[in-house]
Amino acid sequence: MTIEKQPTLSRMNSTQAWVTYLSKVELPVLANTLKRINELTDSRNSTVNELANVILNDAQLTSQVLRLSNTVFYNQTRTQVSTVSRAITLIGFDAVKSMAISSLIVDALLKRNDRPHLLRCLARAIHAAVQARCLMPKRNETALEEVFIGALLMNIGELAFWSCETQQATELEERLRLEEPPVEAQKAVLHSTFTEITRGLVEAWSLGPFIRDVVSPGQANSMASSLVRNSVEMARLSEQGWSGPDMDKVLERLGKDIGESPAVVRDQLKVNASEATRVAVSLGIPQVTAMMPGAEGKSGDTGLRAPDMDAELQLEILRELSHCLAEKPDINEVCQLVIEGIHRAIGMQRVALLMSDRTGNELVPRKLGGRGTEAWREHFVIPKDGTGPLGPLLPHAHCSIYEPKRNAEGVAYDRWLGKVPALIGPIKANGRLVGLFYADNAAGAYLPSKEQLSAFGHFIQNAQLCLTLLSTHQH
């Protein structure tokens, strides 16, 4: 009798097996960095430098923390912050620690995967974390950040699980699609549940006593811990709208936590929800805002919509672009700014600039931006004659929104290319197509808005202008 083995890895069949696998095989760096950051408490001065060093060791983390330090959510004084140590003095040790933890989690998980389940889980975690922090009756900074991180990590087992490409993840995805009850499906496929895996990771990663209390069975030991549990439950229910019998019960419980009436709590939640979408954009994942409840509170409105754009950042980058063009235009610098504008200010998750290859028959990647574009460097090719699965991406005369046909075939190296709506903008030289900008939102497969298209057009015009200036200089 031959035992069929899976080529890559054996199946995990207990909570402990999952905890070990996630900690040692899949996410060891995240586990260690979280441990290190959690061990730092602002008890003596040296820890400020230690925290700054952990953050500065990682360029991506540094830029995320500085970006968050300049948002109103963390920095009510609106004093511009440009270094990590200044952020710690101005905004506080705990707040910077909390920004670092949220950025790390988002980055570590999304770098690996962009399954819709993972994005929905992240959207929920950020929404719950922002709500818990906003609802917490003002105690001290430590308490505010504790509930934020508590809510963010309350489902770390589920987040970690969906970020890994395992056979069991694909099986569970399939069962959930057939609407099998979640906990039964988890037990059948994982021989464990997300709740049990979370408890195991909280211990294994030493995430601290507060989170241990939040995830442990039985009554919460404190108001803060109860607030976190109820915020997480509320974030899940809010995806179906702000009313309904289950939501009413959670509002009652949240009201008890913070000493307010359910009606007051409901009004606060709606205001905080729009804050949560802004925090998601600052964390660099605009695509999840489409999965958060609309602040308008239209119940049952789960239609995906494009995220809000950052108009100030847009102006700032456009100003930098005109400055670049006025000096000595450098096509590399201009295109880099354009990509950053499309990614950060317009809120498109993945951006590419493709230019003609040596033969002149194909467009190939020249610059890439955003998560999930690594495989594009080698494989993303659009034939100029419009053939092949990506032929339909060839631009028209102007910037446009690409809407895929229902049965678009797509490509093997990327699960979204050619199958989701995208923004496309042509770059021309002497009237001939020499390149194009492409931007999509991967799993957040909503249609870009008219506003996004118009802003996209402004950025592309600058790249086009630069090319035109350069070609006139050469003649």
Side-chain angles (χ1 to χ4, degrees):
M1 180 181 105
T2 57
I3 297 173
E4 276 195 76
K5 277 183 105 174
Q6 242 179 274
T8 42
L9 36 98
S10 55
R11 295 173 69 82
M12 268 49 76
N13 55 11
S14 68
T15 304
Q16 194 45 55
W18 278 109
V19 170
T20 307
Y21 173 71
L22 294 169
S23 309
K24 300 275 192 290
V25 181
E26 292 279 359
L27 299 162
V29 178
L30 177 65
N32 290 332
T33 317
L34 282 180
K35 231 183 226 170
R36 280 201 0 247
I37 292 184
N38 256 310
E39 283 159 1
L40 300 176
T41 43
D42 191 11
S43 48
R44 49 185 205 292
N45 202 22
S46 66
T47 54
V48 170
N49 297 337
E50 285 170 31
L51 176 62
N53 286 338
V54 172
I55 295 170
L56 291 168
N57 271 333
D58 178 334
Q60 171 81 6
L61 185 56
T62 305
S63 70
Q64 286 284 37
V65 165
L66 291 176
R67 191 146 106 218
L68 288 165
S69 303
N70 288 304
T71 60
V72 183
F73 182 66
Y74 280 109
N75 178 353
Q76 260 110 26
T77 64
R78 296 187 178 231
T79 315
Q80 200 56 31
V81 175
S82 47
T83 65
V84 173
S85 45
R86 174 94 177 103
I88 297 174
T89 15
L90 184 75
I91 299 166
F93 181 89
D94 290 292
V96 173
K97 181 169 148 181
S98 135
M99 291 179 219
I101 290 175
S102 25
S103 302
L104 269 170
I105 286 188
V106 165
D107 262 20
L109 302 179
L110 275 187
K111 207 182 270 152
R112 316 169 52 79
N113 208 310
D114 57 2
R115 276 177 196 275
H117 280 291
L118 175 61
L119 290 172
R120 184 164 296 284
C121 252
L122 269 174
R124 216 174 265 170
I126 291 166
H127 182 204
V130 170
Q131 291 284 10
R133 189 180 188 272
C134 291
L135 290 172
M136 181 77 178
K138 294 285 177 271
R139 296 290 158 89
N140 56 13
E141 187 210 341
T142 310
L144 288 181
E145 301 312 333
E146 198 166 56
V147 296
F148 182 89
I149 293 300
L152 190 73
L153 296 177
M154 187 172 162
N155 289 316
I156 187 69
E158 184 174 2
L159 282 165
F161 172 81
W162 287 124
S163 76
C164 303
E165 277 293 352
T166 60
Q167 182 56 43
Q168 281 158 287
T170 311
E171 283 170 34
L172 184 59
E173 208 166 27
E174 191 51 36
R175 285 187 181 230
L176 294 175
R177 209 172 54 81
L178 301 170
E179 308 211 335
E180 195 174 317
V183 176
E184 282 159 40
Q186 290 162 33
K187 285 178 178 160
V189 178
L190 314 183
H191 306 284
S192 177
T193 62
F194 289 151
T195 308
E196 286 162 11
I197 295 172
T198 291
R199 287 177 189 147
L201 291 179
V202 168
E203 290 303 325
W205 297 4
S206 326
L207 296 180
F210 179 70
I211 294 177
R212 190 178 309 135
D213 180 40
V214 168
V215 302
S216 62
Q219 286 278 281
N221 282 327
S222 64
M223 181 284 276
S225 169
S226 169
L227 174 67
V228 166
R229 291 180 184 187
N230 290 325
S231 300
V232 169
E233 175 64 0
M234 180 283 306
R236 187 177 64 76
L237 293 170
S238 68
E239 289 162 20
Q240 263 54 64
W242 298 111
S243 45
D246 289 343
M247 182 57 102
D248 292 344
K249 283 183 201 138
V250 173
L251 292 176
E252 287 275 328
R253 296 203 300 270
L254 281 169
K256 281 206 186 81
D257 288 333
I258 64 171
E260 290 286 1
S261 71
V264 169
V265 173
R266 194 186 318 249
D267 290 340
Q268 268 182 288
L269 292 178
K270 290 179 186 177
V271 175
N272 301 345
S274 52
E275 190 62 73
T277 61
R278 286 196 285 276
V279 171
V281 171
S282 307
L283 275 167
I285 40 173
Q287 68 276 28
V288 305
T289 56
M291 300 174 177
M292 291 183 175
E296 314 76 34
K298 296 195 282 282
S299 66
D301 172 23
T302 50
L304 292 180
R305 55 187 183 81
D308 297 330
M309 296 191 300
D310 186 336
E312 278 174 47
L313 183 61
Q314 209 175 308
L315 277 175
E316 202 179 301
I317 295 178
L318 286 169
R319 257 198 292 280
E320 264 183 73
L321 277 165
S322 357
H323 181 72
C324 259
L325 292 170
E327 302 277 305
K328 208 167 134 204
D330 171 344
I331 189 79
N332 270 321
E333 196 180 337
V334 167
C335 288
Q336 196 53 56
L337 276 170
V338 168
I339 283 201
E340 194 171 326
I342 296 169
H343 179 48
R344 287 179 50 206
I346 302 181
M348 297 303 286
Q349 188 194 340
R350 314 191 297 174
V351 191
L353 163 64
L354 293 96
M355 298 292 281
S356 293
D357 67 349
R358 288 211 172 80
T359 67
N361 299 331
E362 294 179 330
L363 296 168
V364 295
R366 193 55 79 70
K367 283 189 180 303
L368 301 170
R371 291 195 184 84
T373 53
E374 295 76 23
W376 291 4
R377 205 173 293 288
E378 300 297 316
H379 306 287
F380 192 177
V381 172
I382 302 178
K384 281 200 192 168
D385 61 4
T387 56
L390 298 183
L393 294 179
L394 277 181
H396 307 295
H398 309 290
C399 291
S400 59
I401 295 176
Y402 162 77
E403 295 189 48
K405 294 207 164 47
R406 190 167 282 270
N407 53 356
E409 58 180 298
V411 289
Y413 56 88
D414 186 287
R415 103 173 54 162
W416 317 111
L417 264 185
K419 290 182 155 188
V420 292
L423 291 171
I424 310 274
I427 297 288
K428 296 187 168 161
N430 310 322
R432 279 197 348 274
L433 179 75
V434 292
L436 70 86
F437 279 92
Y438 169 91
D440 72 21
N441 278 303
Y446 43 82
L447 207 58
S449 62
K450 293 270 191 317
E451 293 75 31
Q452 283 180 307
L453 177 61
S454 146
F456 179 73
H458 284 310
F459 281 120
I460 307 294
Q461 265 167 354
N462 280 280
Q464 183 62 67
L465 189 60
C466 180
L467 207 65
T468 314
L469 284 171
L470 286 172
S471 61
T472 51
H473 283 209
Q474 281 159 5
H475 293 316

